[in-house]
Amino acid sequence: MRLYYRLLVACILLMVVGASVAAVSYQMLVRQSEARWISRLAHRLPFPAARVGSRWVSYAQYLDHVDAERRFLKSQAGQAPNVPRLTEAQIKVNAFEQVIRSAAVEEFADQEHIVLTPLDIDRVYGTFRQQTGTSTTPAEFRDILQKQFGWSEEEFKRFNVRPILLEDELAKKMPGDKDRPSFAIQLTDRLLRSDVVRYLRISDP
């Protein structure tokens, strides 16, 4: 009888865990929930949102990009006349496609042995700061970033500087010739391959 009860308890636990996983998966994959408990869970456990070959895109990465895009669209730069107004679904799709693109770009960077160091990123960031024509202190410039883009210095480097610099380096190394297409063409083709799998189902509310 003891064995029977132990098996019964084990079965109940499996059912509870299975139901919990199913509920969390529904909140993420179908509803794209941004509830605080979902965000905390996603940043602690690597729930997948997409896959590019053997490289996984986490739900936490997707949430970070959605949040960054929303804050940009509310900033001074995001309110410029030439920036299109987006629906919630469009914001989510843009963020989702950006994290998938980033995963594909990272894959190309690995293949081409391109590694960006913090010094590389800081150098480009410093050049950007000089080109703005301001003579502000670092703290004042961080305030400008917050007002203009809605991002912190670290977020600006993560969402803007690093992706652009990495794609620029790949474009230089893969200019295209008779033997192989350019980086831009290869990236477009890569994103259309069958091993790019999207798990989120984003639709207009």
Side-chain angles (χ1 to χ4, degrees):
M1 292 295 290
R2 289 182 179 177
L3 178 60
Y4 169 77
Y5 284 117
R6 287 169 63 186
L7 289 173
L8 181 60
V9 169
C11 288
I12 292 173
L13 287 174
L14 284 174
M15 291 173 63
V16 170
V17 170
S20 299
V21 171
V24 170
S25 298
Y26 175 78
Q27 289 293 324
M28 292 183 180
L29 304 183
V30 178
R31 296 190 60 192
Q32 294 90 50
S33 173
E34 299 172 43
R36 183 174 298 178
W37 70 273
I38 286 287
S39 178
R40 287 177 177 174
L41 188 62
H43 283 86
R44 285 172 172 77
L45 298 174
F47 285 96
R51 179 171 58 83
V52 179
S54 61
R55 193 179 296 271
W56 295 95
V57 174
S58 72
Y59 192 72
Q61 290 174 294
Y62 160 75
L63 288 180
D64 290 346
H65 275 73
V66 169
D67 178 62
E69 181 143 355
R70 282 207 193 100
R71 282 186 284 129
F72 169 73
L73 291 173
K74 292 178 182 178
S75 69
Q76 292 180 11
Q79 293 294 313
N82 61 326
V83 177
R85 306 277 78 84
L86 302 179
T87 66
E88 261 304 298
Q90 289 172 326
I91 291 173
K92 290 181 177 182
V93 168
N94 282 358
F96 191 35
E97 292 304 316
Q98 183 56 50
V99 291
I100 292 173
R101 179 189 179 93
S102 294
V105 170
E106 294 286 351
E107 183 183 74
F108 277 110
D110 286 348
Q111 293 170 359
E112 298 296 325
H113 308 293
I114 294 176
V115 177
L116 295 182
T117 68
L119 287 177
D120 294 326
I121 295 171
D122 287 342
R123 174 177 51 80
V124 175
Y125 175 76
T127 301
F128 169 78
R129 181 184 168 191
Q130 291 176 353
Q131 289 176 345
T132 59
T134 61
S135 57
T136 58
T137 65
E140 290 172 333
F141 190 71
R142 286 193 290 269
D143 289 340
I144 292 174
L145 286 179
Q146 189 68 49
K147 292 176 181 177
Q148 287 289 329
F149 299 96
W151 296 337
S152 67
E153 180 181 286
E154 186 277 330
E155 289 169 333
F156 185 78
K157 292 177 181 179
R158 176 186 173 190
F159 296 119
N160 194 295
V161 177
R162 190 179 192 282
I164 292 175
L165 178 57
L166 192 56
E167 291 200 26
D168 282 349
E169 292 299 317
L170 284 165
K172 293 176 186 175
K173 196 163 186 179
M174 304 165 63
D177 53 38
K178 63 179 181 180
D179 295 320
R180 68 171 183 170
S182 66
F183 165 66
I185 293 175
Q186 289 194 55
L187 178 59
T188 299
D189 291 342
R190 180 69 187 89
L191 293 172
L192 296 175
R193 282 171 49 180
S194 60
D195 64 344
V196 177
V197 184
R198 294 164 173 82
Y199 299 120
L200 302 188
R201 291 181 289 173
I202 301 174
S203 58
D204 284 305

